[in-house]
Structures are given as C-alpha cells and as structure tokens.
Amino acid sequence: MKTTKISHKVIGIDSIKIAYREAGEEGNPVLLLLHGFPSSSHMFRNVISKLSKHFHVIAPDLPAFGFSDVPSLETFSYTFENYATVIAHFLDKLKITKASFYLFDYGAPIVMRLLIKRPKMIEMLIFQNGNIYNEGVGDVLKEVSALYRNDDIESYTKLKSFFELEYIKWEYTNGVQDISNIAEETYFLDQFLMEREGVKEIQIELKRDYSTNVALYSVWQDFLKNLQPVTLIVWGENDEVFKKEGAEMLQKDLVDSKLLFYPTGHFALEEFGNAIAEEIITYWYLNF
C-alpha cells in the first residue's frame, strides 16, 4: 500500500514564518484546512492522509499558533481582519486562486473575511463547529465577553483561566462520547505552545477582538444566502462553545447544503475524523 507523504513546510509571509502541512498531488482540487483556538494544523493530523488521495491539502498554522512565528504585539496586529490578510497573502504566494475551505472555530470568521472579498475562490465550504450566527454562540463565549466588558482585576483573573490547561483540556473533552478517544497530546501540545513567551497576552488580545466577528455575522449570512455555495456542514452536536443551533441556521440559509451531526464535542475530528473525511470526499464527487 502506498503511503501518503505529508510534508511539513515553512514559508515567509509578510516577514513572518508560517508553518504548514501539505499533502496530495498538485493539480488536484485544493482544500485549505484552517484551525481555530487553541489548536493548530495538528488537529487535522488524522484526516490529511485520507483527504490527500483526492485533494491537494494545505493546512497552515496562524501566527502565534502551532509552529508559526510569534511576532510581538508591537510588531503585529492580532486581529481577525489581519489574520485574513495573512491567509490571503499565503494563498497568493502559493498561487492558489480556487479552493475548498474547512471552516472551524476561529478559522470560520477568518475565512469569511477572506471570501467576502474573493468570492470567486470558493469551490466548496465545509463548516465544522465554525459559527457565524448569534444562535450558535454558547455560554462560554458569552461569559468571556462579559469578563472583557467588566474590565476589572477580578474579571481579568478569570479571563486568564481560559488560556490554561484545565480549560484547553475541557474544549477537547467536553461532550465527547468516550474520553479515552481523545489523545492527551492534543491539549498538552496546545498548552505547551501557549506557554511560549508572550503568547497568552496575544491570545487574550485576539479573543477580545472576537466581538468584531459577531458584528459581521449578518453580513456573512447575507453573503452566503446570495451566493449559495456548495456547502457541507459537519458538527459536534454537544459543543458548548459553538452550539448546534448555529449549524441549523446555516443549513436553513443554504438551501442545498447537507448537515450532519455527530455525538461529540467541539473537536469533532478527534472522534469522527474518518467519517467526516469520507463525507467531504463523497460530497465533493456528488457536486463536481
């Protein structure tokens, strides 16, 4: 049996080293896998091989995530808008003009900011616990938002707990079928990388910026309703970060989309990666 090669590469984008995983033949349809908080391209490690038999798979690490550079707050603007610019320049440098996009967690607003400026890039969208509806915002994010608004020492102390191992482990294990299915290196790797100098302060500022995404939800909804792109929605239905109501609203607006719920939490690939990868492949061939 031929083994799929997954390359771990680095490319310079706007003077920042961006690490990314790449697999599959050039010339195949491009599939961009974009992670969210607190993860990296490592979250796709179990699905890249299967997907790369059909797609040219590319999975970058955002600045201050994974193994990409960590520019300081003084030299880099940690906003979702600026992340979208980095990904746009990343795709430009790789000469990618058409792609399918995997929208997960933070990756959803980043990709939406990109695509609303470049709608002709879209071949297929895969939403996996990547929310763009108020109905999908869980109590966790509501609590975080309230802590930012309070802007006092007690609130800041509570806020910092969202960047520690206990919470990061919770994001991986909450709502899962069987906690023994969750590899411990997932949350320990994320926490290890979180402990790098300046990263927690960066993450706190980035999460503060999440409110700018909520303000754009209705814009992105109208964009998708008008465009009606080929869209697959795969969702961990027990997710308390981004609730399943967000997936249901997305399916309602995208009339030909397909929605599948899985009995797991936020990081649905950890328990249902093989099934989700199969659905992506099947849905592609049904539509193209």
Side-chain angles (χ1 to χ4, degrees):
M1 182 181 295
K2 185 178 179 181
T3 302
T4 301
K5 179 187 176 185
I6 301 175
S7 299
H8 299 78
K9 297 183 176 181
V10 172
I11 192 170
I13 305 294
D14 303 332
S15 302
I16 300 169
K17 182 187 76 176
I18 298 295
Y20 66 104
R21 302 176 195 229
E22 183 176 23
E25 294 182 14
E26 291 190 22
N28 280 351
V30 174
L31 174 57
L32 184 84
L33 307 175
L34 191 57
H35 67 86
F37 176 86
S39 56
S40 67
S41 61
H42 179 260
M43 68 170 281
F44 299 110
R45 69 199 180 283
N46 295 327
V47 298
I48 289 178
S49 291
K50 180 179 286 290
L51 291 170
S52 67
K53 292 178 173 61
H54 306 268
F55 299 95
H56 178 194
V57 180
I58 298 171
D61 292 344
L62 294 165
F65 288 88
F67 296 96
S68 289
D69 274 349
V70 185
S72 69
L73 284 163
E74 291 72 33
T75 60
F76 184 84
S77 177
Y78 284 95
T79 65
F80 287 88
E81 186 66 32
N82 201 31
Y83 271 154
T85 298
V86 170
I87 294 301
H89 294 171
F90 173 79
L91 293 171
D92 289 344
K93 195 153 188 179
L94 293 179
K95 296 181 170 56
I96 294 169
T97 57
K98 275 278 192 185
S100 296
F101 296 86
Y102 193 99
L103 297 90
F104 168 77
D105 192 82
Y106 279 7
I110 293 168
V111 170
M112 289 305 303
R113 287 171 183 271
L114 167 70
L115 296 182
I116 205 164
K117 297 174 183 176
R118 302 183 180 191
K120 292 182 179 180
M121 287 198 76
I122 302 171
E123 288 192 312
M124 180 170 75
L125 303 181
I126 304 108
F127 280 86
Q128 188 255 297
N129 298 77
N131 181 62
I132 60 167
Y133 291 84
N134 288 323
E135 292 85 349
V137 176
D139 290 341
V140 172
L141 287 182
K142 291 177 182 177
E143 180 184 355
V144 169
S145 180
L147 292 173
Y148 279 113
R149 287 197 303 272
N150 291 342
D151 196 25
D152 54 40
I153 293 174
E154 182 181 357
S155 297
Y156 185 72
T157 300
K158 289 181 180 178
L159 188 64
K160 289 194 294 184
S161 69
F162 288 92
F163 306 93
E164 300 297 339
L165 180 61
E166 183 178 359
Y167 175 75
I168 290 176
K169 180 179 179 180
W170 178 87
E171 280 217 357
Y172 278 94
T173 59
N174 180 256
V176 302
Q177 274 195 324
D178 182 351
I179 197 169
S180 70
N181 291 332
I182 310 303
E184 292 179 321
E185 64 264 25
T186 53
Y187 44 85
F188 275 108
L189 175 61
D190 287 353
Q191 188 61 39
F192 174 79
L193 294 170
M194 187 75 70
E195 296 295 338
R196 290 175 296 176
E197 184 177 355
V199 170
K200 288 182 182 178
E201 291 76 13
I202 286 166
Q203 295 293 350
I204 288 171
E205 289 307 306
L206 181 61
K207 200 169 284 291
R208 186 193 303 276
D209 192 59
Y210 192 85
S211 62
T212 66
N213 298 324
V214 178
L216 289 170
Y217 277 180
S218 62
V219 175
W220 299 334
Q221 292 160 21
D222 289 342
F223 168 72
L224 292 180
K225 280 189 282 189
N226 289 331
L227 193 63
Q228 293 292 318
V230 174
T231 304
L232 175 65
I233 309 161
V234 286
W235 209 274
E237 64 182 343
N238 302 327
D239 187 3
E240 294 185 42
V241 179
F242 291 124
K243 301 186 297 181
K244 66 179 185 179
E245 286 82 359
E248 291 167 342
M249 293 297 295
L250 188 60
Q251 184 193 33
K252 180 181 176 182
D253 284 344
L254 299 177
V255 295
D256 292 323
S257 62
K258 181 177 181 179
L259 169 60
L260 293 166
F261 284 123
Y262 296 86
T264 189
H266 189 61
F267 284 94
L269 293 180
E270 293 300 316
E271 289 198 289
F272 291 96
N274 189 59
I276 289 172
E278 288 285 0
E279 285 292 341
I280 292 169
I281 294 162
T282 300
Y283 202 65
W284 169 265
Y285 285 113
L286 282 174
N287 286 279
F288 295 95

